[in-house]
Amino acid sequence: MNGQRHSRFNGRRQSRVLETINLPIILEHVAEAATTFYGRGKLPEYIPELAEIEPNQFGMAITTVAGEQYTIGDVDVAFSIQSISKLLALILAMNLEGESLWSHVGREPSGTRFNSLVQLEYEQGIPRNPFINAGALVTLDRVLAHVRDYPSVVLDFARFLSMSDSVAIDSAIVECERQTGHTNYALAYLLRSFRRIEAPVTELLAAYFHQCALSMTCRDLSRAFVALANGGLSPILEEAVVTARHAKRINSLMLTSGMYDSVGNFAYRVGLPAKSGVGGGIVAIVPGHMCIAVWSPELDLSGNSVVGVRALETFSEITGLSIF
Ligand code: GLU
């Protein structure tokens, strides 16, 4: 695989640290090391459509705060972003609701599986954070209080942020989750019984399944979230996507809750705020420097991409880039 540099965007000046490291060469090393871990994880069988994916695929794309892009591997293969979409809903909810969002959902790591019902019952229907499924449903419910036709809104938002018209919603995955997402229905009904959501359960879940089924490439994702590395300002769009205050807070939430139930292990190994999805994608933020999107479909027991986590760990070891 060859690491490639693209400078289609005339963004800001590259940061000093990035001038001293050779990203194309580093990406080659990272890809070589990480792909030796093919075969160590499993495809997510609870979403049958995702269990059909060819497992030995790997892509990694970096968009820097100067708007430059560096890529290696399968960066133009679209995949199901799944829980990474919770970031899109959170940005929309923070922009629409501001601080009042936090009277509906918490900001603590859950220490339980992402779709656990038990904790939600103990805690009277207030989900621990916006990245577990219950928290994502409550966050989305707040967005639905402001917008109509959410699937189009979230699709347009993803296309806008990534400047890519090829972002799509995979209707086969929507349908698959509609038919098999029994735990998500259970979570939504529990939330409803605690009066924590306003939208009817079927409407809320339809919106949720559409956002999870967004199909994007690593290249798209690294562009879409680079604003979080740059105080909320997208170097590609040359406009603010969120305020600097919100960008900092979203990164903090990713650091404490973005990697399922192995967030501590990920912080130990990589030391970057990140959000993963069961489609095998991970978006990681290096504040002040770049957004990294990595994808490889096989998952570890917590639901994170085995090869993706390994790639980010190797990247942070070689470059010394982490928030610590
Ligand atoms: N659609 C998936 C679910 O709700 C998303 C899970 C994930 O990526 O964490 O179970």
Side-chain angles (χ1 to χ4, degrees):
M1 281 190 259
N2 285 320
Q4 288 176 16
R5 174 183 168 176
H6 314 261
S7 46
R8 259 181 50 203
F9 310 110
N10 295 318
R12 291 209 211 146
R13 233 166 53 78
Q14 197 74 278
S15 69
R16 279 255 173 84
V17 179
L18 297 189
E19 279 165 14
T20 64
I21 58 180
N22 187 331
L23 283 173
I25 301 276
I26 289 169
L27 283 179
E28 281 180 34
H29 283 299
V30 166
E32 207 179 302
T35 51
T36 61
F37 285 78
Y38 279 158
R40 305 273 184 105
K42 280 195 150 183
L43 295 171
E45 281 162 12
Y46 83 102
I47 302 178
E49 281 284 325
L50 296 181
E52 302 297 316
I53 310 280
E54 154 61 40
N56 293 352
Q57 302 190 73
F58 170 78
M60 188 160 176
I62 289 174
T63 300
T64 71
V65 296
E68 290 194 333
Q69 219 168 42
Y70 299 84
T71 63
I72 191 143
D74 302 317
V75 286
D76 293 311
V77 180
F79 59 91
S80 187
I81 72 166
Q82 292 293 318
S83 269
I84 298 173
S85 67
K86 291 170 184 170
L87 266 179
L88 295 169
L90 179 60
I91 293 173
L92 289 170
M94 286 176 90
N95 287 348
L96 290 165
E97 289 263 306
E99 290 302 305
S100 70
L101 176 66
W102 306 116
S103 56
H104 302 271
V105 59
R107 301 187 294 245
E108 297 295 342
S110 73
T112 56
R113 246 191 106 63
F114 65 92
N115 54 7
S116 167
L117 285 152
V118 179
Q119 190 173 57
L120 190 63
E121 184 175 10
Y122 280 142
E123 299 185 356
Q124 313 281 302
I126 305 264
R128 281 282 178 102
N129 65 66
F131 293 143
I132 52 172
N133 284 15
L137 290 171
V138 167
T139 305
L140 182 52
D141 186 63
R142 296 323 305 151
V143 177
L144 296 188
H146 300 267
V147 305
R148 278 163 192 261
D149 191 12
Y150 180 73
S152 310
V153 170
V154 76
L155 177 61
D156 287 348
F157 192 45
R159 285 182 172 167
F160 167 71
L161 291 180
S162 58
M163 280 185 77
S164 165
D165 285 341
S166 56
V167 174
I169 290 178
D170 185 332
S171 52
I173 292 193
V174 176
E175 204 36 49
C176 177
E177 291 209 65
R178 218 196 281 270
Q179 285 175 24
T180 58
H182 310 298
T183 311
N184 287 323
Y185 284 99
L187 286 168
Y189 279 113
L190 195 54
L191 287 167
R192 184 83 187 184
S193 75
F194 281 112
R195 297 198 169 83
R196 302 297 184 197
I197 53 173
E198 284 172 14
V201 165
T202 45
E203 200 178 295
L204 179 62
L205 283 174
Y208 175 73
F209 294 144
H210 277 83
Q211 80 173 30
C212 289
L214 276 166
S215 162
M216 296 175 76
T217 66
C218 283
R219 198 188 285 281
D220 297 334
L221 284 169
S222 74
R223 281 188 207 143
F225 296 111
V226 66
L228 295 175
N230 195 37
L233 181 74
S234 166
I236 293 160
L237 298 166
E238 297 189 336
E239 65 178 272
V241 171
V242 283
T243 61
R245 190 179 152 94
H246 282 170
K248 174 185 152 195
R249 292 176 164 182
I250 293 169
N251 288 338
S252 305
L253 289 164
M254 282 199 271
L255 186 72
T256 52
S257 312
M259 296 296 290
Y260 303 120
D261 204 11
S262 61
V263 71
N265 187 38
F266 183 81
Y268 180 83
R269 287 170 61 186
V270 180
L272 291 173
K275 182 72 203 90
S276 65
V278 295
I282 306 173
V283 165
I285 305 297
V286 189
H289 297 298
M290 63 182 73
C291 174
I292 309 169
V294 63
W295 170 64
S296 191
E298 287 184 330
L299 309 178
D300 62 21
L301 292 176
S302 306
N304 296 312
S305 166
V306 173
V307 174
V309 171
R310 185 60 60 163
L312 289 167
E313 182 176 24
T314 309
F315 180 83
S316 124
E317 267 169 17
I318 298 178
T319 59
L321 288 172
S322 94
I323 61 165
F324 300 108

